[in-house]
Amino acid sequence: MLVEILGLFRGDDLDFELPPLPEQHRIVAKIEALFSELDKGIESFKTAREQLKIYRQTLLKHAFSGKLTEQWRAENQDKLESAETLMQRIQTERQHRYQQQLKDWEASGKSGSKPKAPKTLPPLTTEELAELPELPMEWRWEKNENFLFEVKDGTHDTPKYVQDGIPFVTQKNIRNGKLVLDDVSFISEADHLAFSKRSNVQRGDVIISMIGHGRGQCCIVDTDLIFSIKNVGLFKFFHKLQSNKYLCYYYQSKMGGDLVLATSKGGAQPFIGLTELRNWAIPITSFTEQCKIVEELDSKLSEIDQLDQTIFTALQQAEALRQSILKKAFSGQLVPQDPNDEPASVLLERIRAEKAVSDKPKTRKTKHA
C-alpha cells in the first residue's frame, strides 16, 4: 500500500500525510495504470528515435550510391561532366598548385624545404572494387588522396601544455559533427610553428578523429582561429571542384565510415592510420551533382533533426509528467477521497499496537527438573 508508493517505510519519526488504507490501494492502482500508459508512450518515442537513425543512414546510403539524385541526374545529363573528366581537372589543378609553390619557394631565396611534386596513389584493384557498392555509370570509386589535394595527420609529438597560447586540437574536440573548443588545451607558439607543416588547418578543411572509440568523427572547420592538431586527420580541397560538405557527409555515413573503420589498428586504443585515410575509397561524381546531393541532404536531414528534437522534448515532458503524478499522489489530488473509508488515525493506532507487540521482549521459559 503506502509502502509500495514510497518505496521505503522508516518508522514513526517519518513525517508524511497518511491516507486511509482503501485510499492507499486506490492511489497505488492509479499510479500503476498511469505509469503503464506512460511507459508505453516512452517506449514508442524511443522506437521512433531508433527508426530515425535507421532512416538517416538509409538516406546517406542512397546519397552516395547515386539513388538520391537518380531522377535529377536523368533530367540533367547534358549539364554533368563525368567523374573521369573531374579527376583529370583535379590532376591539372594539382600540377598548377605545385608549380606555384615552386615559384614561391624560388622567390623566397629557396628558404625552407623544396616543395614536393604531387604523387598519385595506384588505382583501386579489381578485388577492392568488387567489395564496394555499385555506382552509377557516370560515377567512379577513387582513393581519398587522389581526389583531394592534401591528406595529413597532424603532429606525432606530445608538446608541453601552457596556460594560454595556441589551441591544440585532439580527437576529443571533434564531437557531433562540430569543432568544440570548450575544453581545448594550449601549446606555445614555438611548438605550433614546429608543427605547422602537419597542422596548417584553414577554414573549410575537414578534420577527422583518428583514435579511440570516437574515431571517424569529423567536421568542417568553420573558424579562422589558428590551431595545431594531433590524432586528427586533415583533408584539404579544391573548393571549385570538390564539395567539402559532400565528403563530410560521406565520411560520417555508415556506408563510408565502415570502410575506414574496418582498417583500424590497435586493441584497447584503436586508431586509423594516415595510410588508411589516404586510401579511403570515395564515390566520385561531378561537382554539380555533389552540390545537389548536399542540397537534398541538408533539407532531409534537417527534417530528421527537427523530428528527433521533438521526440527528445516529448521524452523530457514524459519524465516531468511522471514526477507530477507522484506529486499529486502524495498531496491527495490523484484519486477522490471516500468519507466511508476508515480514518487514517485508526489505521495508525492499529500500526502502533502491532509494533508494540512485536517490540515487546519475549520471556524465556525455564525448564524445571
Side-chain angles (χ1 to χ4, degrees), residues 6 58 105 316:
L6 290 172
T58 300
W105 177 69
Q316 289 182 313

Side-chain angles (χ1 to χ4, degrees), residues 316-331:
Q316 289 182 313
Q317 291 172 341
E319 186 55 38
L321 179 57
R322 189 188 301 276
Q323 296 303 315
S324 176
I325 290 169
L326 291 173
K327 183 178 179 180
K328 287 185 177 182
F330 297 114
S331 61

Side-chain angles (χ1 to χ4, degrees), residues 155-171:
T155 180
H156 292 181
D157 298 325
T158 302
K160 181 180 179 181
Y161 295 127
V162 297
Q163 188 68 28
D164 190 23
I166 304 298
F168 191 61
V169 169
T170 64
Q171 74 280 0

Side-chain angles (χ1 to χ4, degrees), residues 124-268:
L124 291 160
T125 66
T126 303
E127 292 76 13
E128 288 172 327
L129 290 170
E131 296 294 322
L132 296 170
E134 187 176 350
L135 295 177
M137 186 169 55
E138 305 88 346
W139 293 33
R140 67 182 271 183
W141 285 103
E142 186 56 78
K143 291 183 178 179
N144 204 24
E145 187 166 54
N146 289 346
F147 181 58
L148 306 177
F149 78 77
E150 203 164 46
V151 178
K152 298 182 177 182
D153 64 345
T155 180
H156 292 181
D157 298 325
T158 302
K160 181 180 179 181
Y161 295 127
V162 297
Q163 188 68 28
D164 190 23
I166 304 298
F168 191 61
V169 169
T170 64
Q171 74 280 0
K172 71 176 184 179
N173 300 113
I174 304 173
R175 301 196 293 269
N176 300 319
K178 295 181 180 179
L179 175 62
V180 182
L181 300 176
D182 296 346
D183 55 350
V184 74
S185 301
F186 297 93
I187 60 173
S188 68
E189 188 168 350
D191 278 339
H192 170 69
L193 289 173
F195 303 154
S196 60
K197 286 187 178 180
R198 304 181 74 103
S199 293
N200 58 329
V201 186
Q202 297 174 304
R203 180 186 288 272
D205 293 343
V206 169
I207 55 175
I208 183 166
S209 172
M210 298 175 64
I211 193 167
H213 296 293
R215 66 198 184 287
Q217 289 283 323
C218 72
C219 69
I220 296 173
V221 177
D222 60 355
T223 176
D224 293 315
L225 183 71
I226 294 173
F227 58 88
S228 280
I229 55 174
K230 180 181 180 179
N231 296 330
V232 169
L234 171 62
F235 301 152
K236 288 183 170 289
F237 300 77
F238 294 115
H239 291 283
K240 292 183 179 180
L241 301 176
Q242 302 149 336
S243 167
N244 56 356
K245 202 166 187 180
Y246 169 84
L247 268 298
C248 198
Y249 273 139
Y250 174 71
Y251 300 140
Q252 290 176 317
S253 71
K254 189 175 189 306
M255 174 181 170
D258 281 356
L259 292 177
V260 77
L261 291 178
T263 66
S264 292
K265 305 171 183 177

